[in-house]
Amino acid sequence: MKAKTKTLAKQSRIYRKLHRFVAVPFVVFMFIMGATGLLLAWKDQLQFKPSTQKSFANNRDLISLDVIKKNAVAYIEKMNLSSEINRIDYRPNKGTAKVRFENHFTELQIDCYSGQIISEKQRTADIIEMIHEGSILDYLFKNQSKPLKLIYSTATSLALILLSFSGFWLWLKPRQIKKIKS
Protein backbone atom coordinates (compact mmCIF):
# COMPACT_ATOMS: atom_id res chain seq x y z
CA MET A 1 0.00 0.00 0.00
CA LYS A 2 2.77 2.45 0.94
CA ALA A 3 4.73 1.63 -2.24
CA LYS A 4 1.62 2.25 -4.35
CA THR A 5 0.98 5.66 -2.77
CA LYS A 6 4.66 6.60 -3.22
CA THR A 7 4.43 5.70 -6.91
CA LEU A 8 1.25 7.74 -7.33
CA ALA A 9 2.80 10.69 -5.46
CA LYS A 10 5.93 10.51 -7.64
CA GLN A 11 3.78 10.48 -10.81
CA SER A 12 1.81 13.42 -9.47
CA ARG A 13 5.03 15.41 -8.91
CA ILE A 14 6.13 14.64 -12.49
CA TYR A 15 2.79 15.85 -13.89
CA ARG A 16 2.95 18.97 -11.70
CA LYS A 17 6.43 19.84 -13.06
CA LEU A 18 5.31 19.17 -16.62
CA HIS A 19 2.17 21.26 -16.08
CA ARG A 20 4.19 24.19 -14.70
CA PHE A 21 6.88 23.84 -17.39
CA VAL A 22 4.26 24.22 -20.13
CA ALA A 23 1.86 26.64 -18.39
CA VAL A 24 4.30 29.40 -17.47
CA PRO A 25 5.63 30.19 -20.98
CA PHE A 26 2.23 29.82 -22.66
CA VAL A 27 0.00 31.63 -20.17
CA VAL A 28 0.02 34.89 -22.18
CA PHE A 29 -0.81 33.14 -25.46
CA MET A 30 -3.64 31.15 -23.87
CA PHE A 31 -5.02 34.31 -22.27
CA ILE A 32 -4.97 36.04 -25.68
CA MET A 33 -6.69 33.06 -27.34
CA GLY A 34 -9.30 32.88 -24.58
CA ALA A 35 -10.03 36.62 -24.53
CA THR A 36 -10.21 36.96 -28.31
CA GLY A 37 -12.29 33.77 -28.57
CA LEU A 38 -14.77 35.29 -26.13
CA LEU A 39 -14.88 38.53 -28.13
CA LEU A 40 -15.44 36.58 -31.36
CA ALA A 41 -18.29 34.63 -29.78
CA TRP A 42 -19.95 37.96 -28.88
CA LYS A 43 -18.95 39.90 -32.03
CA ASP A 44 -22.54 40.39 -33.23
CA GLN A 45 -23.82 41.55 -29.83
CA LEU A 46 -20.81 43.87 -29.36
CA GLN A 47 -21.21 45.12 -32.96
CA PHE A 48 -17.64 44.30 -34.02
CA LYS A 49 -18.73 43.68 -37.60
CA PRO A 50 -20.81 46.06 -39.67
CA SER A 51 -24.44 45.04 -40.09
CA THR A 52 -25.53 44.38 -43.65
CA GLN A 53 -27.47 47.26 -45.15
CA LYS A 54 -30.45 46.50 -47.38
CA SER A 55 -31.37 47.99 -50.69
CA PHE A 56 -34.62 47.60 -52.57
CA ALA A 57 -34.90 46.81 -56.27
CA ASN A 58 -37.82 49.10 -57.18
CA ASN A 59 -37.85 47.60 -60.70
CA ARG A 60 -34.13 48.28 -61.24
CA ASP A 61 -31.58 45.87 -62.67
CA LEU A 62 -28.52 44.67 -60.75
CA ILE A 63 -25.25 46.30 -61.78
CA SER A 64 -22.21 44.22 -62.69
CA LEU A 65 -19.40 43.24 -60.32
CA ASP A 66 -17.04 45.32 -62.47
CA VAL A 67 -19.05 48.47 -61.69
CA ILE A 68 -19.11 47.57 -57.98
CA LYS A 69 -15.34 47.02 -58.04
CA LYS A 70 -14.70 50.31 -59.91
CA ASN A 71 -16.86 52.30 -57.48
CA ALA A 72 -15.19 50.70 -54.44
CA VAL A 73 -11.68 51.36 -55.78
CA ALA A 74 -12.50 54.98 -56.68
CA TYR A 75 -14.01 55.62 -53.23
CA ILE A 76 -11.14 54.03 -51.28
CA GLU A 77 -8.46 55.79 -53.35
CA LYS A 78 -10.05 59.14 -52.39
CA MET A 79 -9.33 58.14 -48.79
CA ASN A 80 -5.64 57.51 -49.71
CA LEU A 81 -5.90 53.83 -48.76
CA SER A 82 -4.71 50.78 -50.65
CA SER A 83 -7.28 49.71 -53.23
CA GLU A 84 -6.25 46.04 -53.41
CA ILE A 85 -9.47 44.09 -52.89
CA ASN A 86 -9.47 40.96 -50.72
CA ARG A 87 -13.01 39.89 -51.59
CA ILE A 88 -16.43 41.02 -52.68
CA ASP A 89 -19.30 39.44 -50.78
CA TYR A 90 -22.13 39.78 -53.28
CA ARG A 91 -25.64 39.55 -51.77
CA PRO A 92 -28.18 40.17 -54.51
CA ASN A 93 -31.11 39.09 -52.32
CA LYS A 94 -30.26 41.98 -49.97
CA GLY A 95 -29.26 44.28 -52.80
CA THR A 96 -25.76 44.90 -51.41
CA ALA A 97 -22.18 43.93 -51.99
CA LYS A 98 -19.58 44.04 -49.20
CA VAL A 99 -16.10 44.94 -50.41
CA ARG A 100 -13.18 44.08 -48.13
CA PHE A 101 -9.63 45.19 -48.76
CA GLU A 102 -6.31 43.37 -48.46
CA ASN A 103 -4.15 45.91 -46.62
CA HIS A 104 -6.60 47.52 -44.20
CA PHE A 105 -9.80 46.63 -42.36
CA THR A 106 -12.25 48.92 -44.15
CA GLU A 107 -15.49 47.43 -45.44
CA LEU A 108 -17.56 49.22 -48.04
CA GLN A 109 -21.16 48.23 -48.66
CA ILE A 110 -22.38 49.10 -52.11
CA ASP A 111 -25.94 49.22 -53.41
CA CYS A 112 -26.18 46.54 -56.14
CA TYR A 113 -28.74 48.59 -58.08
CA SER A 114 -27.28 52.09 -58.06
CA GLY A 115 -23.59 51.49 -57.29
CA GLN A 116 -23.74 54.01 -54.41
CA ILE A 117 -21.62 53.49 -51.28
CA ILE A 118 -24.19 52.93 -48.53
CA SER A 119 -21.81 52.12 -45.66
CA GLU A 120 -18.15 52.50 -44.80
CA LYS A 121 -16.99 50.88 -41.55
CA GLN A 122 -14.01 49.18 -39.95
CA ARG A 123 -14.17 45.40 -39.52
CA THR A 124 -13.01 45.13 -35.91
CA ALA A 125 -13.98 41.44 -35.85
CA ASP A 126 -11.34 40.73 -38.53
CA ILE A 127 -8.62 42.30 -36.39
CA ILE A 128 -9.73 40.27 -33.35
CA GLU A 129 -9.83 37.08 -35.44
CA MET A 130 -6.30 37.71 -36.74
CA ILE A 131 -5.03 38.21 -33.18
CA HIS A 132 -6.86 35.05 -32.08
CA GLU A 133 -5.31 32.84 -34.76
CA GLY A 134 -1.89 34.53 -34.80
CA SER A 135 -2.09 35.71 -38.42
CA ILE A 136 -1.80 39.34 -37.24
CA LEU A 137 1.98 38.79 -37.05
CA ASP A 138 2.10 37.55 -40.63
CA TYR A 139 -0.07 40.51 -41.67
CA LEU A 140 2.23 42.99 -39.92
CA PHE A 141 5.41 41.39 -41.32
CA LYS A 142 3.84 40.82 -44.79
CA ASN A 143 4.49 37.04 -44.74
CA GLN A 144 2.59 35.43 -47.59
CA SER A 145 3.10 31.82 -46.46
CA LYS A 146 1.79 32.53 -42.94
CA PRO A 147 4.55 30.70 -41.01
CA LEU A 148 4.07 32.66 -37.77
CA LYS A 149 0.35 31.81 -37.68
CA LEU A 150 1.13 28.12 -38.02
CA ILE A 151 3.85 28.19 -35.34
CA TYR A 152 1.70 30.21 -32.91
CA SER A 153 -1.44 28.13 -33.43
CA THR A 154 0.35 24.78 -33.33
CA ALA A 155 2.44 25.57 -30.24
CA THR A 156 -0.47 27.07 -28.31
CA SER A 157 -2.84 24.24 -29.27
CA LEU A 158 -0.33 21.54 -28.30
CA ALA A 159 0.35 23.34 -25.01
CA LEU A 160 -3.37 23.47 -24.26
CA ILE A 161 -3.76 19.76 -25.04
CA LEU A 162 -0.80 18.92 -22.79
CA LEU A 163 -2.12 21.14 -19.99
CA SER A 164 -5.53 19.46 -20.22
CA PHE A 165 -3.90 16.04 -20.01
CA SER A 166 -1.57 16.89 -17.11
CA GLY A 167 -4.34 18.83 -15.33
CA PHE A 168 -6.57 15.76 -15.43
CA TRP A 169 -3.82 13.62 -13.86
CA LEU A 170 -3.13 16.29 -11.24
CA TRP A 171 -6.80 16.09 -10.32
CA LEU A 172 -6.94 12.26 -10.41
CA LYS A 173 -3.73 11.23 -8.58
CA PRO A 174 -4.60 12.76 -5.16
CA ARG A 175 -7.99 11.02 -5.31
CA GLN A 176 -6.29 7.70 -6.03
CA ILE A 177 -3.90 8.21 -3.09
CA LYS A 178 -6.79 9.16 -0.79
CA LYS A 179 -8.73 6.05 -1.89
CA ILE A 180 -5.74 3.78 -1.17
CA LYS A 181 -5.15 5.34 2.27
CA SER A 182 -8.78 4.96 3.35
Side-chain angles (χ1 to χ4, degrees):
M1 176 171 93
K2 196 166 190 168
K4 180 74 172 166
T5 57
K6 276 188 177 185
T7 304
L8 289 172
K10 184 178 179 182
Q11 289 173 347
S12 189
R13 283 191 292 278
I14 291 169
Y15 284 119
R16 192 173 298 114
K17 284 179 185 175
L18 177 66
H19 197 80
R20 195 173 333 134
F21 178 75
V22 173
V24 171
F26 283 94
V27 70
V28 172
F29 301 118
M30 284 187 247
F31 177 81
I32 290 170
M33 280 188 129
T36 55
L38 183 64
L39 290 173
L40 287 171
W42 285 83
K43 69 183 171 188
D44 291 332
Q45 290 78 4
L46 296 172
Q47 299 175 345
F48 286 148
K49 66 178 192 173
S51 57
T52 303
Q53 304 297 313
K54 286 191 177 186
S55 179
F56 300 100
N58 297 335
N59 296 323
R60 298 182 291 174
D61 291 328
L62 291 168
I63 60 175
S64 71
L65 279 175
D66 284 337
V67 173
I68 290 170
K69 180 181 175 184
K70 245 184 261 180
N71 290 356
V73 167
Y75 185 88
I76 213 73
E77 283 178 345
K78 286 180 188 173
M79 297 172 64
N80 293 323
L81 294 171
S82 168
S83 61
E84 186 179 347
I85 293 176
N86 175 282
R87 71 184 69 147
I88 298 176
D89 182 5
Y90 189 64
R91 299 178 178 201
N93 61 333
K94 293 187 177 182
T96 60
K98 293 182 175 187
V99 182
R100 294 170 52 191
F101 296 89
E102 191 67 42
N103 299 313
H104 49 89
F105 300 99
T106 306
E107 174 189 276
L108 297 179
Q109 291 186 34
I110 300 176
D111 185 311
C112 290
Y113 300 104
S114 68
Q116 297 273 354
I117 309 295
I118 54 178
S119 173
E120 174 219 326
K121 298 220 169 119
Q122 293 297 309
R123 289 190 58 92
T124 308
D126 289 355
I127 300 167
I128 295 169
E129 185 176 326
M130 290 176 84
I131 293 168
H132 181 73
E133 67 184 18
S135 63
I136 191 76
L137 297 172
D138 290 314
Y139 173 80
L140 294 172
F141 295 122
K142 308 283 188 233
N143 292 328
Q144 296 301 318
S145 62
K146 310 231 183 264
L148 295 175
K149 171 190 173 180
L150 291 174
I151 293 167
Y152 168 82
S153 296
T154 302
T156 307
S157 297
L158 290 174
L160 189 56
I161 290 167
L162 190 61
L163 286 172
S164 298
F165 179 77
S166 62
F168 171 75
W169 288 109
L170 287 172
W171 170 82
L172 182 65
K173 293 298 177 191
R175 281 159 183 72
Q176 289 176 332
I177 293 170
K178 189 176 180 180
K179 186 177 178 182
I180 291 170
K181 285 183 176 180
S182 62

